[in-house]
Amino acid sequence: MLNIDRRTFLAMSAALCASPAWSAQSGGDGLRVRAARNHRLYGTSVDSRNLKADPRFAQAVATEAGILVAESETKRKAMEPAKGQYYFGGTDAILNFAHSNTQLMRGHTMVWHEANPAWLEAELPVSKDERLLTDYIAKVAGRYKGQFQSWDVVNEVIEPKDGHPLGLRTNSIWYEAFGESYIETAFHAAREADPKTPLFYNETNLEGDDAWFEPRRTATLKLIERLLARNVPLQGFGMQSHLKAFRSKYSEAVISKFLDEIAAFGLPILITEFDVADIRGPADPAQRDTAVADLTRMFLDVAFSKKAVLGCITWGLTDKYSWLSLTPAYKWSDGQLSRGLPLDGDFNRKPMWTAMASCFDKSQA
Ligand code: 9MR
């Protein structure tokens, strides 16, 4: 198995993130600096249209984030809207922003059951042509060769509720066309097109202590075991970590054990999509902010006690632009913003920001 040393992985980013140019722009160092001091990464997902249209947002992203990821613009629906017609404008704009602000970028995601273009959803189940998978990967991995800190090759491939004996997601155009083999085919195609960028498997809903999370963890670990046994070039694990402060239970022991189990495979771990839904919380936003911050502190203290954990990316930076406020399961029906990210809707640092900063400060490199 190809492995990567954590220090090598972070060396360049630590130097960049600690640059004094990013200090004291809005009341002290940004999270990128607080993270980098202890050789960890902090970053955020972004949308290039918001970076362009909202200078305050662009400023906050430059100040706080050491690594960026496109929230939607590196997905297949955005990148190949019509067959053979590629659009790289959104991803390129984010990469340019990252270069201008000495930030890293990661790629998300080559293969997912969601965010696929309609033409592919119509064609793949009929043709079952493997080139619909491999040609795309060759194209995008080739275009961004060597430019990303890591690439999510496959995303969200586990769903025990689908009934597969190994817990695989079967309700997916990829599984329907190829069975489990699409996963390793994707990794090999990515490795061929981009020999050096660390290739990640990104998965969701692993961290909770309610009964439904356990089969998800078991299936994820079993899948990683199978892939590594078959010499699939899997080099890192993305743990999305969309937490739900008032809907799920969490325990330090459960999170700690799972992180140890992943680390035992020799894989580095990145918290890739952290946020904390506040739906069903008390009416008083201050009380919700406290609960969100407390859960953040608990989760990241456990995560950063592990050497394998490279850092944390939040799924958005400010409540002004959060998928939580747009998603029926998480949004407030009265129209108020969800408060699950480090900055509020007016770019002020919230208790969650303070919790994150102190977790980065405490974390041991
Ligand atoms: O937050 C993203 C939302 O804006 C997009 O509409 C959606 C489909 O592209 O994807 C959301 O991001 C998801 C991520 O890619 C994978 N994990 C779950 C995220 C939230 O749904």
Side-chain angles (χ1 to χ4, degrees):
M1 183 192 69
L2 283 159
N3 208 338
I4 31 174
D5 168 65
R6 181 171 178 279
R7 282 193 179 271
T8 312
F9 202 83
L10 287 172
M12 184 183 83
S13 58
L16 295 175
C17 296
S19 156
W22 301 107
S23 299
Q25 295 195 15
S26 53
D29 289 336
L31 291 175
R32 60 185 289 170
V33 176
R34 303 288 276 263
R37 278 197 197 118
N38 283 322
H39 308 287
R40 281 198 161 85
L41 283 171
Y42 169 71
T44 179
S45 67
V46 293
D47 187 298
S48 72
R49 288 157 293 195
N50 295 336
L51 287 175
K52 196 169 170 209
D54 186 343
R56 292 177 75 206
F57 177 61
Q59 176 65 54
V61 170
T63 301
E64 301 287 357
I67 181 166
L68 305 182
V69 59
E71 188 154 337
S72 298
E73 291 162 289
T74 314
K75 292 170 186 168
R76 184 123 181 206
K77 192 175 189 168
M79 300 268 265
E80 196 185 5
K83 189 175 182 183
Q85 288 179 26
Y86 295 89
Y87 175 74
F88 299 119
T91 301
D92 286 355
I94 297 170
L95 196 54
N96 287 338
F97 184 95
H99 285 158
S100 314
N101 292 287
T102 56
Q103 293 162 315
L104 303 172
M105 181 167 174
R106 66 189 313 268
H108 169 84
T109 169
M110 297 182 191
V111 184
W112 191 22
H113 64 286
E114 285 185 39
N116 289 307
W119 69 264
L120 179 69
E121 287 183 341
E123 193 174 324
L124 186 66
V126 180
S127 78
K128 299 188 195 300
D129 183 348
E130 199 170 84
R131 288 172 302 181
L132 291 172
L133 175 66
T134 53
D135 284 0
Y136 175 75
I137 291 175
K139 184 83 178 175
V140 300
R143 179 179 170 94
Y144 294 104
K145 184 173 165 177
Q147 301 213 59
F148 290 153
Q149 176 263 6
S150 54
W151 246 121
D152 288 337
V153 177
V154 297
N155 186 43
E156 300 178 10
V157 303
I158 294 298
E159 185 43 273
K161 286 180 194 149
D162 283 0
H164 186 281
L166 296 169
L168 293 170
R169 181 186 296 280
T170 56
N171 188 10
S172 148
I173 54 170
W174 304 111
Y175 186 87
E176 281 163 18
F178 308 118
E180 182 177 356
S181 70
Y182 80 89
I183 300 172
E184 61 181 273
T185 303
F187 273 97
H188 287 298
R191 174 48 72 237
E192 201 178 317
D194 183 352
K196 292 207 175 119
T197 300
L199 303 179
F200 274 52
Y201 156 37
N202 196 46
E203 190 55 82
T204 190
N205 284 327
L206 300 165
E207 56 284 329
D209 197 11
D210 307 289
W212 62 277
F213 286 95
E214 189 58 31
R216 299 188 53 83
R217 287 190 285 270
T218 305
T220 299
L221 292 165
K222 289 233 150 67
L223 171 61
I224 293 173
E225 198 174 16
R226 289 198 298 285
L227 294 175
L228 294 178
R230 292 173 62 79
N231 288 319
V232 173
L234 162 65
Q235 292 171 287
F237 183 69
M239 183 161 165
Q240 292 188 10
S241 313
H242 294 288
L243 275 61
K244 304 140 185 71
F246 303 98
R247 278 185 35 175
S248 291
K249 287 187 294 173
Y250 298 92
S251 94
E252 296 178 12
V254 165
I255 296 161
S256 177
K257 178 168 175 268
F258 182 70
L259 290 168
D260 286 344
E261 286 168 332
I262 299 281
F265 289 117
L267 296 178
I269 302 164
L270 198 52
I271 308 299
T272 48
E273 302 185 18
F274 186 66
D275 53 21
V276 184
D278 67 346
I279 196 70
R280 297 194 198 162
D284 177 7
Q287 284 180 33
R288 298 205 303 273
D289 282 357
T290 302
V292 165
D294 287 348
L295 184 54
T296 296
R297 193 174 295 107
M298 184 277 252
F299 181 78
L300 292 183
D301 274 345
V302 175
F304 295 160
S305 72
K306 315 291 178 191
K307 286 216 184 309
V309 175
L310 303 173
C312 175
I313 295 173
T314 48
W315 208 238
L317 175 62
T318 154
D319 296 333
K320 186 174 180 184
Y321 306 119
S322 171
W323 75 291
L324 295 169
S325 295
L326 303 171
T327 305
Y330 301 118
K331 72 181 200 183
W332 290 88
S333 55
D334 61 6
Q336 68 176 297
L337 295 178
S338 170
R339 302 182 63 86
L341 291 169
L343 307 183
D344 72 10
D346 204 27
F347 303 100
N348 299 304
R349 292 170 172 176
K350 289 191 304 177
M352 181 182 178
W353 185 97
T354 308
M356 294 190 74
S358 79
C359 290
F360 280 122
D361 287 348
K362 272 187 283 169
S363 83
Q364 295 300 306

